[in-house]
Amino acid sequence: MWEKESPVCLYSYADATTFTLPDSSVVTLFPNSTLSYLPDRFNKNKREVDMSGRISFDVRRNQYAPFIVSGEYAKIEVLGTQFEVNENNNGSVTEVHVLSGKVLFSSKNNKNGIVLTRNMQAVMPFGSDVPLIMVKNSDKDHADKSGKFIYENTPLSEVLKELSEHFHVKLTSVSTGKTLTAEFDTDNLDEIISMIEKSLDVKIRKEVTK
């Protein structure tokens, strides 16, 4: 009988340590952090790793093999991007900070999550099935940039009304009972619509008004 496959385990102790994974992705483990994976779960079809602590990821893009990071409570899925995950925040929340690309941030117990793009940061309380309690743009230099929209538990109907007025279109959705907590530092309406649809699992219709 074959023995069960042993995991590959990476550790950092007093200093941050950088490692290169089999797919050429690079991870930096900050002090007292760990990352592990099973070789049969890290191949040409999928790349799954488990982590604890605080780790910075520079993922090599591969559209055929999603890169999935699992912490104690949260899960992050990407194709190729740079981001950082921190579960060391006084044992209270999981933080995700995206430097480039896009990631899907969700609870391990909830398939619905929120899509984060460059310079966005999200936090989620430990033990919660709520995938997001706050999203903010972490680039302080863009605090006054035009096209910035901030929502905190805002009804989707109000969000669509504000976006409609700003972009001179008509946005509608049948799922207006949901609320949105997010911050968009972009003037690309299609990108905003896409992030809202994926985050809230809704469909939004856009009509051009005269």
Side-chain angles (χ1 to χ4, degrees), residues 1-7 38-40:
M1 178 180 294
W2 293 98
E3 295 183 357
K4 290 186 177 180
E5 186 178 36
S6 298
L38 292 170
D40 68 350

Side-chain angles (χ1 to χ4, degrees), residues 112-113 156 178-181 195-202:
N112 294 322
L156 180 57
K178 297 187 176 182
T179 60
L180 179 71
T181 298
M195 286 190 285
I196 295 176
E197 288 181 331
K198 292 178 181 178
S199 301
L200 299 182
D201 191 25
V202 298

Side-chain angles (χ1 to χ4, degrees), residues 11-188:
Y11 304 91
S12 66
Y13 298 98
D15 301 312
T17 308
T18 298
F19 300 92
T20 300
L21 302 180
D23 68 335
S24 297
S25 295
V26 177
V27 294
T28 298
L29 279 62
F30 291 88
N32 303 312
S33 299
T34 65
L35 183 142
S36 64
Y37 62 90
L38 292 170
D40 68 350
R41 291 170 52 192
F42 200 99
N43 52 47
K44 63 181 181 180
N45 297 318
K46 57 184 176 181
R47 298 173 289 172
E48 301 181 25
V49 300
D50 295 311
M51 66 155 285
S52 65
R54 176 187 171 196
I55 300 179
S56 176
F57 295 83
D58 187 351
V59 177
R60 186 177 181 86
R61 182 171 179 80
N62 184 344
Q63 61 179 325
Y64 304 107
F67 194 102
I68 302 172
V69 180
S70 293
E72 186 174 1
Y73 298 106
K75 182 172 70 173
I76 301 92
E77 181 173 346
V78 304
L79 294 177
T81 188
Q82 290 180 292
F83 63 100
E84 182 180 303
V85 183
N86 185 6
E87 288 195 332
N88 275 340
N89 194 12
N90 299 321
S92 59
V93 300
T94 299
E95 294 183 355
V96 176
H97 176 198
V98 178
L99 302 177
S100 67
K102 295 182 181 181
V103 307
L104 175 63
F105 180 33
S106 66
S107 159
K108 294 183 72 172
N109 300 319
N110 190 338
K111 66 179 181 179
N112 294 322
I114 184 153
V115 176
L116 305 176
T117 58
R118 184 176 70 88
N119 286 333
M120 294 184 71
Q121 180 175 323
V123 298
M124 183 180 69
F126 285 175
S128 173
D129 281 343
V130 179
L132 185 70
I133 63 169
M134 178 181 68
V135 175
K136 63 181 181 180
N137 187 290
S138 59
D139 187 348
K140 304 301 183 183
D141 294 336
H142 296 286
D144 296 324
K145 183 179 178 180
S146 62
K148 184 174 182 179
F149 302 92
I150 303 173
Y151 303 105
E152 184 172 353
N153 293 322
T154 305
L156 180 57
S157 58
E158 293 184 19
V159 174
L160 297 182
K161 180 180 179 181
E162 179 180 341
L163 293 174
S164 296
E165 293 176 352
H166 181 84
F167 290 100
H168 306 291
V169 297
K170 182 179 180 181
L171 300 177
T172 57
S173 173
V174 296
S175 303
T176 54
K178 297 187 176 182
T179 60
L180 179 71
T181 298
E183 180 172 320
F184 305 113
D185 193 3
T186 176
D187 213 26
N188 186 324

